[in-house]
Amino acid sequence: MATDAGSFVAASPPSPSSAPWTFAGFRLTTLLLVAIIFALACWNIWTTRELLALKHRRIVSVSLATLITDFVRNESHQSGDPQQMAAETRRYLVATQLALKSLAGDGTPVVASEAVLGNSVPDVTPQVKQAVARAMAADAANGGGGNGGH
């Protein structure tokens, strides 16, 4: 069994271009994996905090039918021309919309009572009625012509 003298090549040290890239003694792939794991851990902490905040959020309902029925009932006893009634209706709807926006301003989900099964969420219709009445009274005191910026 003869070996060829040319088949034995002396091992040469790896060239600098084929050596793995390192930083502070760590391979860059290792550093990249650590960075990805750290980012995922931060994202996990953030999502857990957000989900726990949602758990404490209060959902409320408002009976839109009751609000509109009460308004129509009150307006049916008023006398006035159609333009005045249309303006009053517009003022009422704007006041109602502003009251609902202020209620939902802190992130509280507001659902229509008509869409709620049972009494699973608190009904805040009386509070909305009071807010609308205050807004209508303030608008009437300011001349009654305001339309809430619409």
Side-chain angles (χ1 to χ4, degrees), residues 18-147:
S18 66
W21 292 0
T22 59
F23 179 78
F26 296 102
R27 288 184 172 183
L28 288 183
T29 54
T30 303
L31 293 174
L32 183 63
L33 286 174
V34 168
I36 289 171
I37 290 170
F38 179 75
L40 288 174
C42 290
W43 179 73
N44 190 14
I45 291 168
W46 176 78
T47 55
T48 301
R49 186 189 64 187
E50 292 298 314
L51 288 174
L52 289 176
L54 285 176
K55 183 179 178 181
H56 299 293
R57 185 164 288 169
R58 183 181 96 147
I59 299 173
V60 297
S61 68
V62 173
S63 176
L64 298 175
T66 301
L67 292 173
I68 298 301
T69 301
D70 289 350
F71 173 73
V72 170
R73 186 180 308 125
N74 290 338
E75 288 300 306
S76 68
H77 300 294
Q78 305 295 326
S79 62
D81 62 68
Q83 291 176 344
Q84 182 183 2
M85 298 296 278
E88 189 70 16
T89 302
R90 204 169 18 260
R91 284 183 44 230
Y92 181 80
L93 292 175
V94 167
T96 303
Q97 185 178 22
L98 291 174
L100 291 173
K101 278 185 180 178
S102 70
L103 183 62
D106 64 350
T108 301
V110 180
V111 295
S113 294
E114 295 78 11
V116 176
L117 297 174
N119 290 329
S120 57
V121 295
D123 187 15
V124 293
T125 304
Q127 292 90 327
V128 172
K129 270 188 187 178
Q130 291 172 352
V132 169
R134 283 193 301 269
M136 293 289 287
D139 191 39
N142 291 334
N147 60 3

